[in-house]
Amino acid sequence: MLSRWSASFTVTKGKSSTQEATGQAVSTAHPPTGKRLKKTPEKKTGNKDCKADIAFLIDGSFNIGQRRFNLQKNFVGKVALMLGIGTEGPHVGLVQASEHPKIEFYLKNFTSAKDVLFAIKEVGFRGGNSNTGKALKHTAQKFFTVDAGVRKGIPKVVVVFIDGWPSDDIEEAGIVAREFGVNVFIVSVAKPIPEELGMVQDVSFVDKAVCRNNGFFSYHMPNWFGTTKYVKPLVQKLCTHEQMMCSKTCYNSVNIAFLIDGSSSVGDSNFRLMLEFVSNIAKTFEISDIGAKIAAVQFTYDQHMEFSFTDYNTKENVLAVIRNIRYMSGGTATGDAISFTVRNVFGPIRESPNKNFLVIVTDGQSYDDVQGPAAAAHDAGITIFSVGVAWAPLDDLKDMASKPKESHAFFTREFTGLEPIVSDVIRGICRDFLESQQ
């Protein structure tokens, strides 16, 4: 994707600073002159190859001063212009760090580059301490909300501009941002010189705040003058989605298959309680074509694929299909059902970057061996949670569950006892997901 990207920029020397760097992915390239933009039909959709929800967190402290503050705004304007803002492309908002952070405009306020540039121009200098940590935390918690225009399944990004060094601690804010699935980039300008290092609270402030300390999320400019050449490399970073490690959370980066016992001992009304249990887990996750995926198999002696990971990619559809699953009734061959699921549900999505989970809900003894098939599933990288009801033997549940067994196997005497297990399974999935990311 990147090669297509980097080959598709036009840099034109325009009359105004905002026209110095225009250019988008080929699919939506505009003529570089402002006048002809109106005729371009794709203008409104923006650059579809760069879907991101981006907050620019600018430095509005006395440290930067009015003049450099304006140069900073010019730079942000050029970056915004080159991103290719539009309804289907990147959306941007702006937060000013000063004594108290101020959200200047949200993602939903503008979807055209022209409006964004005008809004950036209008932002007034606030002054005070930079308090970047406070501003970053505020941005992670208050800026990226659905009401403020955050889109589902699209990377959330904060580009933090720090002139000199932060006046407060930004390590904790970096942790909060990661928990919220926000990718933090730091653009540091005029790093502290050796004589100033004594005044810097934490010399490694950049490493501690960025999404990952791998060099990708930090960017340095020597000063605010002649920054045009830094625009394009920064835009390319912001559009490289596969590098946005912090977008992945347990809610949007898992594949969860449910294996549901449809044997005669369950009975119709208890089967409904099982489906409710499955729905309550599924609805917690951010299901989308690029997010979490859900699948379900019902088993007796036979197996029936109710739906695969690729059949439905909205939460509404998944929940509707779960509600309408028809009860089969029959015997119980859990081992065969596990093998069937590994082969036919997880097999086709072998290339998926998501972490794989299987939640088995059963109410009785299996007529076949469960240990062998479960071990094969574990070897294939599938984490199993086993949930037993009524007559389900504890040995079977433990044999199927992933290690540590006590946090992956659950039992309840009554079907009504499934409800409290919902949060245990969700917590377990998130815990296992986080451990796999370390």
Side-chain angles (χ1 to χ4, degrees):
M1 178 181 136
L2 204 59
S3 55
R4 190 164 98 229
W5 241 96
S6 26
S8 60
F9 282 98
T10 55
V11 176
T12 58
K13 282 277 170 268
K15 289 189 183 65
S16 73
S17 61
T18 55
Q19 278 179 9
E20 258 177 53
T22 61
Q24 272 125 15
V26 175
S27 58
T28 55
H30 305 333
T33 52
K35 291 190 189 76
R36 284 163 56 205
L37 280 179
K38 292 196 172 50
K39 294 194 180 109
T40 315
E42 309 94 315
K43 171 192 166 196
K44 294 188 172 54
T45 58
N47 176 12
K48 291 182 189 165
D49 284 337
C50 181
K51 273 196 156 79
D53 284 342
I54 302 171
F56 291 111
L57 175 52
I58 63 172
D59 186 340
S61 65
F62 286 140
N63 184 39
I64 192 171
Q66 178 79 59
R67 181 170 178 233
R68 296 202 307 261
F69 178 77
N70 288 338
L71 292 169
Q72 173 183 227
K73 287 203 304 180
N74 287 348
F75 179 76
V76 172
K78 287 174 194 172
V79 172
L81 195 61
M82 195 183 259
L83 280 168
I85 294 163
T87 50
E88 310 274 311
H91 289 182
V92 306
L94 190 82
V95 183
Q96 184 175 173
S98 55
E99 201 63 47
H100 303 290
K102 182 183 181 208
I103 296 176
E104 301 286 356
F105 58 90
Y106 287 97
L107 294 163
K108 65 175 181 190
N109 294 137
F110 310 107
T111 51
S112 82
K114 198 179 80 194
D115 295 341
V116 166
L117 289 176
F118 184 73
I120 293 170
K121 257 197 195 88
E122 292 294 288
V123 170
F125 174 60
R126 289 170 68 79
N129 279 323
S130 63
N131 290 342
T132 312
K134 185 175 172 185
L136 177 55
K137 202 167 165 184
H138 183 74
T139 307
Q141 293 169 328
K142 301 281 191 286
F143 178 90
F144 291 104
T145 64
V146 176
D147 293 346
V150 160
R151 294 169 292 175
K152 219 189 230 143
I154 286 179
K156 300 193 276 266
V157 178
V158 181
V159 184
V160 184
F161 290 92
I162 297 179
D163 182 274
W165 59 90
S167 62
D168 63 349
D169 173 47
I170 62 173
E171 184 176 8
E172 191 207 340
I175 294 167
V176 170
R178 288 191 285 278
E179 279 173 5
F180 277 84
V182 176
N183 296 276
V184 177
F185 282 81
I186 301 265
V187 178
S188 55
V189 184
K191 279 188 178 148
I193 54 172
E195 293 78 2
E196 295 171 326
L197 285 174
M199 297 185 269
V200 183
Q201 211 177 329
D202 184 349
V203 182
S204 57
F205 64 85
V206 172
D207 297 344
K208 293 192 175 154
V210 286
C211 160
R212 289 278 190 287
N213 183 12
N214 59 3
F216 180 76
F217 294 94
S218 47
Y219 197 66
H220 180 67
M221 302 194 298
N223 54 50
W224 290 108
F225 302 97
T227 54
T228 303
K229 63 176 175 290
Y230 295 103
V231 172
K232 184 172 150 187
L234 180 59
V235 167
Q236 283 173 332
K237 280 179 185 260
L238 299 181
C239 292
T240 312
H241 288 188
E242 52 280 18
Q243 298 269 10
M244 300 289 183
M245 317 250 214
C246 291
S247 300
K248 289 184 181 299
T249 64
C250 68
Y251 299 109
N252 65 20
S253 298
V254 293
N255 301 318
I256 307 170
F258 292 93
L259 190 49
I260 307 163
D261 186 340
S263 60
S264 344
S265 52
V266 175
D268 204 35
S269 60
N270 286 334
F271 186 72
R272 295 286 128 214
L273 290 172
M274 274 187 173
L275 294 183
E276 207 168 291
F277 171 76
V278 169
S279 288
N280 286 337
I281 294 172
K283 74 179 183 199
T284 312
F285 294 87
E286 293 166 27
I287 301 164
S288 78
D289 53 343
I290 55 170
K293 305 254 182 285
I294 306 288
V297 171
Q298 184 181 172
F299 71 98
T300 54
Y301 278 144
D302 296 317
Q303 304 84 31
H304 181 250
M305 167 97 77
E306 299 293 349
F307 59 97
S308 78
F309 284 127
T310 50
D311 286 342
Y312 302 102
N313 55 25
T314 70
K315 193 177 292 192
E316 296 67 45
N317 290 351
V318 165
L319 296 177
V321 180
I322 294 171
R323 263 199 308 276
N324 292 322
I325 290 177
R326 309 222 345 232
Y327 173 46
M328 282 161 64
S329 190
T332 312
T334 316
D336 276 353
I338 294 172
S339 301
F340 172 89
T341 306
V342 171
R343 197 169 54 247
N344 299 299
V345 178
F346 288 101
I349 56 139
R350 226 173 261 119
E351 301 303 306
S352 166
N354 289 1
K355 183 161 168 55
N356 293 324
F357 292 91
L358 174 60
V359 179
I360 303 170
V361 197
T362 179
D363 86 321
Q365 173 112 37
S366 178
Y367 294 119
D368 61 359
D369 167 60
V370 295
Q371 200 165 6
H378 298 155
D379 290 346
I382 300 163
T383 301
I384 298 181
F385 287 88
S386 58
V387 180
V389 192
W391 308 107
L394 287 173
D395 288 348
D396 276 11
L397 296 176
K398 286 194 173 132
D399 283 345
M400 294 187 288
S402 290
K403 291 180 176 144
K405 304 285 185 187
E406 54 280 2
S407 57
H408 291 84
F410 301 95
F411 176 77
T412 169
R413 289 240 167 275
E414 306 289 333
F415 280 87
T416 47
L418 283 170
E419 199 192 333
I421 299 174
V422 169
S423 57
D424 292 328
V425 173
I426 294 165
R427 264 202 305 275
I429 289 172
C430 283
R431 183 194 55 234
D432 291 348
F433 174 81
L434 279 173
E435 281 171 12
S436 75
Q437 295 293 294
Q438 297 311 317

